[in-house]
Amino acid sequence: MKKLFYVASAFAFMACSSNKEASKVDDANVDQAAKYAATITAKDLGAHLFTYASDEFEGRNTGEPGQKKAVEYLKNFYVNNNIVSPLGGDDYFQEVPAEWINKNTRRGTYKDSENVVAFIKGSEKPDEIVIISAHLDHEGVKNDEIYNGADDDGSGTVAMLEIAEAFQMAVKAGKGPKRSILFLHVTGEEKGLLGSKYYADVDPLFPLANTVCDLNIDMIGRTDDRHKEDPNYLYLIGSDKLSTELHNLSEEINKKYTNINLDYKYNDENDPNRFYYRSDHYNFAKNNVPIIFYFNGTHVDYHKPTDTPDKINYELLENRTRLVFHTAWEVANKETRIVADKAAPKKEASK
């Protein structure tokens, strides 16, 4: 009986070991990008946005109490998910002084504000930085009405949170990105792209020469009149202006994973809207950092108090967010850094 027990035990041990090895093989065959992209859900995006674009945040006007609540919300998310700050310790705020803000805008007088920054260090190429950005501010309160800014840019902000959480899950599983990722929530976009200008021109936390690209998300939760009949679209702006490689990679990733109709209408250099110069990516592009600007176009509620979270299409927001995640994943894990092979035209940014 003892001999039989030992034999049975040996087979059990071998079976256990075999299962572990099989599990390793199975995990190796899993599409890791798809696995973690699947954690980005409409439900979670909605849960964030109904808070972030609520009346409690008072329209997140630069330097005002509602904006301070917003940055605390973002900081707490990163702390709770064990995503560190590149500034070290408990400091997730890159201060943008009122004196500098007021010197660089003609749109009023403002108090001190801050960009929110969080960081996942690359496992193999930590000095090469992929930036994902969105602006955290909006219009505030005007004539006693709160401008919630659910699409502009609550949608981009909560997309970043979900993307960061997905990458952090990969890190915990030992599948973290080869390059570092900086999650950059910028302030003062509505006052003239000020938070991104401060980062790029005054205090880049990482050298711009080491910055691989900026994937900038500004309004991705709604549809415009042009796409009422086919809402599965997204405007991409600037993807080909500095890097042919980034543009081609973006196209391939979309075909593989998300199948969104990528519309390049506003990428035209003669576009009268000049959207290429009107969001935070521009402050990186003017420094020859390749960019992609993700945008759903304007709509009837653009810059109005009616831009509320109940009007967001969360299924669209989910798929569009996954596109940005997949693109960031590919850029961060490529064997070679994407090449900037063009010089983009430079004009004065405006909002």
Side-chain angles (χ1 to χ4, degrees):
M1 290 294 293
K2 284 185 179 180
K3 183 175 180 181
L4 182 60
F5 172 79
Y6 288 138
V7 171
S9 297
F11 275 114
F13 176 77
M14 290 169 63
C16 183
S17 299
S18 177
N19 286 338
K20 286 181 179 179
E21 290 302 318
S23 178
K24 289 180 181 178
V25 172
D26 289 344
D27 191 55
N29 291 331
V30 166
D31 185 330
Q32 297 297 326
K35 175 180 177 180
Y36 294 106
T39 69
I40 297 169
T41 66
K43 179 180 178 181
D44 290 343
L45 289 160
H48 282 302
L49 193 53
F50 269 89
T51 298
Y52 194 77
S54 68
D55 287 355
E56 178 187 357
F57 288 74
E58 301 172 340
R60 309 185 303 277
N61 195 17
T62 301
E64 294 301 313
Q67 185 249 291
K68 302 299 182 183
K69 291 179 181 179
V71 298
E72 287 295 334
Y73 182 88
L74 300 176
K75 172 184 174 178
N76 290 336
F77 171 85
Y78 288 115
V79 170
N80 292 337
N81 282 278
N82 297 310
I83 301 172
V84 302
S85 167
L87 300 172
D90 195 41
D91 183 8
Y92 285 75
F93 300 154
Q94 180 187 40
E95 303 299 333
V96 184
E99 181 181 4
W100 186 89
I101 293 173
N102 295 319
K103 180 181 177 181
N104 285 274
T105 187
R106 298 177 181 176
R107 305 181 189 189
T109 302
Y110 303 96
K111 302 171 186 175
D112 291 341
S113 191
E114 50 279 303
N115 296 329
V116 179
V117 289
F119 185 68
I120 290 178
K121 186 175 181 179
S123 59
E124 295 182 16
K125 304 173 188 291
D127 294 334
E128 295 183 13
I129 313 298
V130 176
I131 294 180
I132 304 175
S133 63
H135 69 90
L136 60 87
D137 63 306
H138 194 56
E139 294 283 321
V141 180
K142 299 178 180 180
N143 300 318
D144 296 324
E145 289 190 285
I146 297 173
Y147 286 60
N148 300 94
D151 193 26
D152 185 15
D153 186 27
S155 61
T157 299
V158 301
M160 276 182 62
L161 298 184
E162 283 292 288
I163 291 168
E165 186 174 27
F167 270 110
Q168 183 67 352
M169 289 180 183
V171 169
K172 290 179 180 178
K175 306 292 184 181
K178 294 177 181 178
R179 292 176 179 83
S180 297
I181 301 178
L182 176 67
F183 301 96
L184 176 63
H185 299 266
V186 290
T187 189
E189 190 268 358
E190 302 290 358
K191 317 307 177 189
L193 317 184
L194 296 183
S196 56
K197 180 179 176 66
Y198 187 83
Y199 180 96
D201 293 1
V202 180
D203 186 24
L205 301 183
F206 301 94
L208 294 183
N210 290 1
T211 302
V212 176
C213 70
D214 172 44
L215 305 180
N216 182 51
I217 317 169
D218 193 351
M219 299 174 57
I220 61 166
R222 297 279 296 269
T223 58
D224 65 2
D225 289 341
R226 176 178 160 86
H227 295 89
K228 279 185 176 179
E229 302 303 319
D230 182 17
N232 182 35
Y233 77 99
L234 193 60
Y235 293 109
L236 263 60
I237 303 173
S239 62
D240 64 345
K241 292 193 183 298
L242 288 108
S243 174
T244 304
E245 186 178 7
L246 179 60
H247 174 77
N248 292 340
L249 178 152
S250 168
E251 283 278 326
E252 291 166 7
I253 287 297
N254 178 57
K255 288 175 183 176
K256 182 176 181 180
Y257 291 109
T258 47
N259 293 308
I260 296 169
N261 172 25
L262 301 182
D263 192 329
Y264 295 98
K265 172 181 171 61
Y266 296 126
N267 196 51
D268 187 337
E269 195 58 41
N270 297 314
D271 168 36
N273 297 285
R274 301 179 78 250
F275 287 128
Y276 176 70
Y277 305 96
R278 290 173 55 185
S279 191
D280 294 295
H281 61 275
Y282 179 71
N283 284 312
F284 294 96
K286 72 182 185 182
N287 287 287
N288 295 315
V289 175
I291 64 91
I292 302 178
F293 172 22
Y294 301 90
F295 179 51
N296 55 217
T298 58
H299 44 73
V300 66
D301 300 308
Y302 175 65
H303 278 199
K304 293 182 180 178
T306 48
D307 181 9
T308 50
D310 57 296
K311 296 180 179 177
I312 298 294
N313 184 320
Y314 289 96
E315 285 70 29
L316 287 179
L317 179 56
E318 174 188 281
N319 201 36
R320 292 164 173 176
T321 302
R322 289 180 179 183
L323 171 62
V324 183
F325 170 80
H326 277 296
T327 305
W329 180 282
E330 184 66 19
V331 171
N333 286 295
K334 282 178 87 286
E335 286 302 316
T336 57
R337 173 177 169 170
I338 60 167
V339 175
D341 59 344
K342 302 178 183 180
K346 296 181 180 180
K347 297 181 181 178
E348 189 62 31
S350 62
K351 175 65 181 175

